[in-house]
Amino acid sequence: QVQLVESGGGLVQNGGSLGLSCAASGRIFSIKDMGWYRQAPGKQRELVASITSRGSTNYAVSVKGRFTISRDNAKNTVYLQMNSLKSEDTAVYYCNAKIMSFTTWVDEDYWGQGTQVTVSS
């Protein structure tokens, strides 16, 4: 069984910074892309940033230059450093990873439980 466990998040003032982390655990054979999504009330879930196993990154236009995604392959962990936060960044942030486990031997999408990020103006 594979799990993604997120940490970080919380309440921060406009212009502040916050960091998120997400650790994958379980019977993991390999992890390909990892990423962060977010969902604000009444809106669809959207991609914030993603990173390949080799470190290539992709960002939503709205966060480019403010957010940085990184990963530690040895720890099966992905991070999201968020700077210059704005009220429109308020959302539940979800970690996502494409993982092949020893159980299924196919690439499957796994999701974290979500963590609330609130930016107060």
Side-chain angles (χ1 to χ4, degrees):
Q1 191 169 357
V2 173
Q3 276 189 315
L4 297 183
V5 178
E6 302 167 5
S7 59
L11 176 64
V12 64
Q13 287 190 330
N14 195 31
S17 298
L18 212 54
L20 305 179
S21 64
C22 171
S25 63
R27 295 175 54 79
I28 297 170
F29 175 73
S30 66
I31 303 178
K32 292 184 176 175
D33 292 1
M34 302 185 83
W36 291 93
Y37 287 72
R38 67 186 180 187
Q39 187 167 18
K43 294 189 176 181
Q44 288 190 329
R45 190 173 297 189
E46 63 175 358
L47 174 68
V48 175
S50 64
I51 184 168
T52 69
S53 57
R54 295 188 176 185
S56 294
T57 58
N58 179 51
Y59 294 93
V61 172
S62 60
V63 307
K64 197 171 290 188
R66 300 188 297 121
F67 291 11
T68 302
I69 189 170
S70 61
R71 64 189 282 175
D72 184 334
N73 290 332
K75 295 182 179 180
N76 291 338
T77 299
V78 62
Y79 306 93
L80 185 69
Q81 179 62 38
M82 303 181 290
N83 298 328
S84 303
L85 282 161
K86 306 174 183 180
S87 56
E88 50 262 45
D89 295 317
T90 295
V92 177
Y93 284 69
Y94 296 91
C95 170
N96 169 265
K98 191 174 293 293
I99 296 173
M100 179 180 288
S101 71
F102 287 108
T103 304
T104 65
W105 293 106
V106 294
D107 290 322
E108 295 176 293
D109 274 321
Y110 289 88
W111 292 89
Q113 77 279 9
T115 185
Q116 177 71 44
V117 172
T118 302
V119 184
S120 65
S121 55

